[in-house]
Amino acid sequence: MSHTRIAELLEARLGEWANAKGVPVVWENISENPPDTLYLQAYAMPATTTTIDLAEKLQVLPGIWQINVVAKAGEGVSVNGARALADEVAALFPAGLALSDGGLTCYISTPPTVYRGITSDTRYSIPVSMSYRAHLITH
């Protein structure tokens, strides 16, 4: 359940920003009908939850938050603004950012990395990836 809440926090921040910029987002498990313009794909990828105290009540919920900036293949990275948009996405999730929902706070725990683009026949995708973690005290 808490990994779901973490994904919702991360998605809400990205969604509000993307709506304000007019950038479409293709969310997880939604039929992809990609636009002809730049768009984003977002994935929260949880890792194994651990406990770090002797009472096993403090849970650590880590994971990776990845946003792909997707453009048409064959247009370069500067003309269509894909590289610039990837840098903006990275700036939206700086290391140390705290996102809270009630008793759960999720922290971006590593600086975002903008990776080299991946080309397919029709798309060029620039991954922006960072680690997150949340601590949760159970009763």
Side-chain angles (χ1 to χ4, degrees):
M1 168 105 174
S2 295
H3 280 291
T4 300
R5 288 173 55 203
I6 292 167
E8 290 169 350
L9 285 169
L10 295 166
E11 290 167 355
R13 181 166 176 86
L14 179 65
E16 289 170 12
W17 176 84
N19 284 341
K21 288 201 61 90
V23 177
V25 180
V26 175
W27 299 108
E28 188 175 358
N29 200 29
I30 301 291
S31 295
E32 186 176 340
N33 188 7
D36 287 336
T37 61
L38 285 174
Y39 66 95
L40 305 175
Q41 294 173 313
Y43 305 95
M45 298 175 280
T48 302
T49 301
T50 59
T51 55
I52 61 172
D53 64 324
L54 292 175
E56 297 184 350
K57 296 205 181 279
L58 177 58
Q59 295 181 352
V60 178
L61 298 97
I64 303 292
W65 176 230
Q66 181 166 314
I67 302 110
N68 297 329
V69 177
V70 183
K72 282 179 148 179
E75 292 185 348
V77 293
S78 297
V79 173
N80 58 23
R83 187 176 288 155
L85 186 59
D87 287 341
E88 288 183 53
V89 167
L92 183 64
F93 293 95
L97 174 69
L99 303 169
S100 294
D101 174 26
L104 179 75
T105 301
C106 176
Y107 300 92
I108 300 300
S109 55
T110 61
T113 300
V114 178
Y115 291 98
R116 182 182 177 278
I118 302 163
T119 304
S120 71
D121 290 340
T122 59
R123 301 281 176 219
Y124 181 78
S125 180
I126 302 174
V128 180
S129 186
M130 68 230 55
S131 295
Y132 66 80
R133 74 175 193 290
H135 295 172
L136 182 65
I137 297 175
T138 61
H139 301 283

